[in-house]
Amino acid sequence: MTAFYLSKPYDPPQAPQNLPLDRPWALLGGNSPQQFMKTYWHKKPLLVRGAIPAFELAKRMGEPLGSAISAEELFKISSNEAVESRLIKAKPWTFTDGPFKKKAIPSLESPNWTLLLQGMEARHPAAANILSWFRFIPDARLDDLMISIAGPGGGVGPHFDSYDVFLIQMSGRRHWRISEQKDLSLNPDLPLKILKNFKVEQEWDLEPGDMLYLPPHVAHDGIALDGGCQTWSVGFRAQSYKEILQEGLWRLAESLEDIPELEKRFADPKQTATSQAEQLPEELIKQVAQKLNHLKLDRIETFLPGIAAYLSEPKPQAFFDGSADELSPEEFSFQLSKRTVKLHPQTRLLAIGARIYCNGEDVTAGQAGSIKKAWRALAAKKQFKGSVGKIDANNSLFDAFEAGWLVF
C-alpha cells in the first residue's frame, strides 16, 4: 500500500471575497495575480513547486495530506448519470463514456488507466473552493474543474488543449512532459486526440501541492507514477469568434420581438412599374437598410447582451431540480434578511455594468432597485444576505430560488 493512502484529506479554504491582486501568491510561484496575467497568462508555461504550501508543511510534520476527495467518493460520483465521466485505458488505447459501475473501474494498483470526471465544482465543496482561488480571471472564461484519478502509468497520451489550464497535483505523483512544438497533427489511427509527433522539451515529476500552468496549444503528456494519482485541472474555455457572434446574433434576433415598430408591414407606395420583376426591389432594400441602421448593428453594445446571455448559460449537463425549501414570497424575503443565499454550484452569473445575466437570462430587467442590488452582490461575491422588501409576482430573485438556481 502506498503511503499517501494513509494521508489526511486536504481541506481547501474558500478564497477571500477581495483578492489581493498586487501581492505575491504561493499559488502563482511568488507572482501576484497582476504579474502572472502580464507575464504568463496565455503566453508561456509556469511550474510552481509548493503551490499549496499546506502539503509541504504537513509532510514536514509527519502528517502528509492527500486529496480532499477519496478514490471511493470519485468512483461513486462516476456512477451518476448527470456527471460527465470518461474511462481511458492505454496499451491499447480505449475510450468509454460513463456512468460507471464500480466493478467497471480497475483497482488503484492496476496499470494504464485513467478516470476523468468533469464539473466537479458542482459535486463537492472542496472543488468549488479551489475554483474560488482563480477569480482573478474573469468568470466568463471559466469552464470547470476536472479531476483525473489514475493507476500507475495512467494518462490520456500526448495532446494539446485549446484553452488555458492549471494542473494541480492533489494525490500521488505525476510525471509531466511538455513541448511548445508547432506540429500539432494528430494520429488518425487512435480513438483519442493523441499527437502524432510529440517531441519532449521539458519534463518534471509533480508532488502533491505542486501545480503546472499551461497556455493553449502547449503539447503535454501526464503519466501517473502512483496508484490513485489525482490531478485537479482548472480549465478556462475559449470559444471561436464565429460561435460568439452566432450566439450574439441569434439572441439579437430574439430581442426584435420587443420592438413594436418592427411589427409594421412593409409598404411600397412609391414602387414603379419594372421590366426586371425578378430583381429584389430597391424600395425593399432601402427600407431594410434604414431599419438596420436604426438598430445600430454596427455597435458592439448591440451584441453584448446576447453574448453575455450565452456565456452565462450553464453547462449542458447542469441539472436544477427546483428549490428544496418550499417558501412563499413573504417567507423567502424574511429568510433573506436572516440567512445567506448563494449560487447553486452549476449556476453561472455574468454582468455587463449593472445588468446581470443568470443562466442565460437577464434577471435585472424591470426589477426593483433592491432586487438589482441583490443580484449585483451575487454576481460579485456569489452570495447575498439582506432586506429586499416585499416580494411581488414579477421578482427574478424569487423565481431563481424556486428554479433551484439559488440556495440558502
Side-chain angles (χ1 to χ4, degrees):
M1 180 176 287
T2 317
F4 64 81
Y5 291 164
L6 305 176
S7 59
K8 293 167 47 179
Y10 171 60
D11 185 17
Q14 174 82 20
Q17 293 290 343
N18 299 313
L19 296 174
L21 302 181
D22 58 350
R23 292 168 55 187
W25 289 20
L27 181 70
L28 303 175
N31 294 284
S32 69
Q34 292 173 341
Q35 290 171 327
F36 172 82
M37 297 301 284
K38 182 179 179 179
T39 306
Y40 296 97
W41 175 256
H42 226 63
K43 301 174 190 71
K44 60 181 179 179
L46 175 65
L47 171 68
V48 182
R49 296 292 187 187
I52 307 177
F55 280 87
E56 181 60 29
L57 291 173
K59 185 178 179 181
R60 291 177 186 175
M61 296 173 63
E63 298 180 351
L65 296 174
S67 173
I69 310 179
S70 68
E72 289 72 20
E73 287 180 280
L74 291 177
F75 296 160
K76 183 177 180 180
I77 291 171
S78 75
S79 68
N80 188 332
E81 291 184 357
V83 176
E84 183 182 354
S85 57
R86 292 164 288 165
L87 181 62
I88 296 172
K89 297 180 181 179
K91 300 179 181 180
W93 290 107
T94 61
F95 175 98
T96 310
D97 286 315
F100 297 103
K101 294 182 179 179
K102 186 175 181 180
K103 63 182 181 181
I105 302 172
S107 68
L108 294 179
E109 294 299 346
S110 297
N112 305 321
W113 65 271
T114 297
L115 177 66
L116 305 174
L117 300 103
Q118 300 284 160
M120 287 299 297
E121 70 279 1
R123 304 297 164 187
H124 199 286
N129 284 350
I130 292 288
L131 279 193
S132 73
W133 302 355
F134 295 90
R135 285 203 77 206
F136 59 89
I137 300 167
D139 289 341
R141 291 283 273 111
L142 178 66
D143 187 11
D144 70 353
L145 188 148
M146 180 186 79
I147 292 181
S148 162
I149 181 169
V156 299
H159 66 286
F160 71 92
D161 298 314
S162 299
Y163 50 82
D164 302 83
V165 63
F166 295 86
L167 301 159
I168 306 170
Q169 195 60 27
M170 276 289 179
S171 184
R173 299 166 300 146
R174 186 177 289 273
H175 182 71
W176 283 105
R177 305 183 298 163
I178 73 167
S179 173
E180 296 185 67
Q181 64 191 60
K182 301 301 180 185
D183 179 9
L184 297 178
S185 56
L186 303 177
N187 189 327
D189 300 322
L190 297 176
L192 301 170
K193 293 182 178 180
I194 293 178
L195 291 168
K196 187 176 182 180
N197 303 301
F198 181 52
K199 299 178 180 178
V200 179
E201 294 176 355
Q202 297 183 78
E203 54 188 316
W204 313 274
D205 290 345
L206 266 65
E207 303 274 349
D210 293 342
M211 183 180 77
L212 176 62
Y213 162 73
L214 297 175
H217 301 124
V218 172
H220 54 286
D221 183 26
I223 302 171
L225 299 178
D226 302 301
C229 167
Q230 280 192 41
T231 303
W232 292 27
S233 305
V234 179
F236 291 83
R237 57 185 178 168
Q239 296 87 347
S240 68
Y241 290 114
K242 175 184 176 182
E243 184 177 350
I244 292 173
L245 289 174
Q246 281 180 333
E247 294 292 338
L249 284 168
W250 177 66
R251 286 166 175 78
L252 175 62
E254 282 193 324
S255 72
L256 299 184
E257 297 286 342
D258 301 325
I259 306 177
E261 179 189 346
L262 298 181
E263 294 291 341
K264 296 178 181 178
R265 298 280 181 175
F266 165 70
D268 54 354
K270 296 181 182 180
Q271 179 65 53
T272 60
T274 179
S275 61
Q276 295 178 304
E278 76 279 4
Q279 293 292 326
L280 195 67
E282 287 296 326
E283 186 63 24
L284 176 61
I285 295 172
K286 177 183 175 181
Q287 291 190 35
V288 169
Q290 289 174 343
K291 296 299 181 186
L292 289 174
N293 185 56
H294 178 71
L295 290 173
K296 300 176 181 177
L297 295 183
D298 59 333
R299 297 187 182 181
I300 184 62
E301 292 87 352
T302 305
F303 293 93
L304 285 178
I307 291 172
Y310 160 57
L311 293 178
S312 74
E313 287 186 344
K315 293 176 73 69
Q317 296 80 18
F319 176 72
F320 304 95
D321 58 358
S323 173
D325 297 328
E326 293 186 4
L327 302 178
S328 68
E330 294 76 18
E331 291 170 332
F332 174 68
S333 179
F334 176 75
Q335 291 295 330
L336 272 180
S337 64
K338 302 294 183 182
R339 301 166 63 191
T340 298
V341 71
K342 297 184 178 183
L343 304 183
H344 183 283
Q346 297 181 92
T347 292
R348 286 189 183 272
L349 225 59
L350 288 180
I352 304 179
R355 296 173 70 173
I356 309 298
Y357 292 84
C358 179
N359 289 346
E361 296 184 13
D362 184 346
V363 290
T364 48
Q367 298 295 305
S370 59
I371 301 301
K372 292 180 180 179
K373 182 179 178 181
W375 277 116
R376 286 195 291 270
L378 283 164
K381 303 179 181 298
K382 306 276 189 184
Q383 61 183 33
F384 173 75
K385 177 182 178 183
S387 175
V388 295
K390 184 178 179 180
I391 301 286
D392 56 26
N394 178 33
N395 189 288
S396 62
L397 203 64
F398 183 63
D399 288 345
F401 173 73
E402 284 198 308
W405 297 358
L406 303 177
V407 294
F408 282 114

